[in-house]
Amino acid sequence: MRFYGRPMSMHRILHLSDTHVSATGADADGVDGLAALRGLLRDLHDVPDIDAVVVTGDIADDGSAAGCRAVREAVGDFARERGVPQIYTTGNHDDRAAFEEALGSGHLDAGGRDVGRLVAGPGVRCAVSEVGGLRIITLDSLVPGSAYGELGDEQLVGLRQLLSRPAPAGSVIALHHPPIDPPYSPLAMIGLRSPERLAAAIAGTDVRAVLCGHFHLQLSGSLGAVPVWVVPGVVTRIDLTAAPRFARAVTGAGAALVDLPPGSGLRCHTLMARDPGAGREVYLVDRF
């Protein structure tokens, strides 16, 4: 059923990130990421017309396959009920081998079958699939042991080759580390290194949006002419009312709806869980 006169050719992505579920449930800060994810998905039950669920990294706080499988089960139940695919990227907390064991390429159909095509060879979790003519490309910005992200030459070459032919409804790129930074924040140190390389690879192509996580806050900007959207985290969100040298994390799961109208354009809307405990300080640090 379609609501609000939405065009049949519009694509709507439910964008999640930073679930930080461990094999034991709680993350390193003692927050139960799985409970936060389940509560958020419960609150999103009545959101209409979702075409895909995209989760941009830090699936497992401890890098475990068990943590990835728990997220796959929770998101998979939500996606299966709607008959839509679930798509994942790696994050800096993830482990590539565990990610592959639990999530394969990261592109799963509504029934949980791996439908992604790897773009950059084995090991790197860079893949592509299509949803109703919309091409979704996941990039692997994981640098093991580091909070910042990078994209290797092989991925960028594969990305250029993919984008040399436009998709019927255009392309969306999903990766963990944002190529833009929030001003006056230590988060700027842990984003994507050399974002100009990604900008050059997507310039003049059919890429309609770049979707990211990692910063645990809502942020929009652009990479060249392409809109960039950073979604709040599921497990915690960063509160930028802290003094500029600090990073303050508080409870309160968030997600976003990313609407792609026919032809061009982008609309993003943040959705917050109805959590009576939201806003509790989890940590306050002066460096990452």
Side-chain angles (χ1 to χ4, degrees):
M1 183 175 181
R2 298 284 167 175
F3 293 82
Y4 317 121
R6 172 189 146 165
M8 293 294 288
S9 56
M10 176 181 282
H11 290 84
R12 167 169 282 184
I13 294 172
L14 175 62
H15 182 196
L16 310 174
S17 196
D18 296 271
T19 51
H20 284 269
V21 174
S22 74
T24 58
D27 72 354
D29 299 306
V31 180
D32 190 336
L34 187 56
L37 175 62
R38 287 172 172 165
L40 176 63
L41 293 174
R42 182 175 59 249
D43 288 346
L44 298 176
H45 180 271
D46 295 324
V47 174
D49 296 340
I50 294 168
D51 297 301
V53 183
V54 174
V55 188
T56 50
D58 277 1
I59 312 302
D61 189 70
D62 58 356
S64 67
C68 290
R69 283 193 294 268
V71 174
R72 173 177 175 166
E73 180 179 351
V75 175
D77 288 345
F78 181 91
R80 186 165 46 252
E81 183 179 347
R82 289 153 184 80
V84 302
Q86 48 180 314
I87 297 170
Y88 300 86
T89 79
T90 57
N92 56 288
H93 277 260
D94 294 308
D95 174 83
R96 288 191 176 104
F99 181 99
E100 181 180 4
E101 177 184 336
L103 300 166
S105 70
H107 292 241
L108 309 177
D109 68 10
R113 183 172 61 98
D114 192 341
V115 295
R117 177 168 64 86
L118 292 177
V119 174
V124 177
R125 298 292 93 189
C126 174
V128 61
S129 62
E130 284 196 14
V131 180
L134 179 70
R135 181 167 52 194
I136 300 180
I137 303 166
T138 52
L139 301 179
D140 183 349
S141 54
L142 166 62
V143 178
S146 299
Y148 66 84
E150 286 184 339
L151 297 173
D153 292 340
E154 187 178 10
Q155 282 193 82
L156 292 172
V157 168
L159 178 62
R160 288 178 183 273
Q161 291 174 344
L162 273 179
L163 296 176
S164 65
R165 291 187 176 183
S171 299
V172 168
I173 290 176
L175 76 161
H176 185 61
H177 293 86
I180 59 174
D181 299 321
Y184 311 113
S185 170
L187 291 169
M189 299 183 295
I190 61 170
L192 183 71
R193 297 283 175 91
S194 303
E196 68 278 1
R197 300 180 70 214
L198 177 58
I202 66 176
T205 69
D206 71 347
V207 174
R208 303 181 61 183
V210 176
L211 307 182
C212 310
H214 189 46
F215 286 165
H216 292 232
L217 51 78
Q218 173 184 327
L219 181 68
S220 63
S222 61
L223 189 63
V226 179
V228 176
W229 172 256
V230 184
V231 70
V234 170
V235 68
T236 53
R237 65 177 179 84
I238 294 295
D239 176 8
L240 288 183
T241 64
R245 78 175 191 275
F246 291 111
R248 175 189 287 130
V250 300
T251 53
L257 289 178
V258 179
D259 286 336
L260 297 155
S264 62
L266 174 73
R267 294 197 297 265
C268 299
H269 176 67
T270 300
L271 303 169
M272 303 302 295
R274 298 190 300 276
D275 179 1
R280 176 179 62 83
E281 185 173 287
V282 176
Y283 63 76
L284 181 69
V285 297
D286 61 2
R287 67 182 188 277
F288 284 94

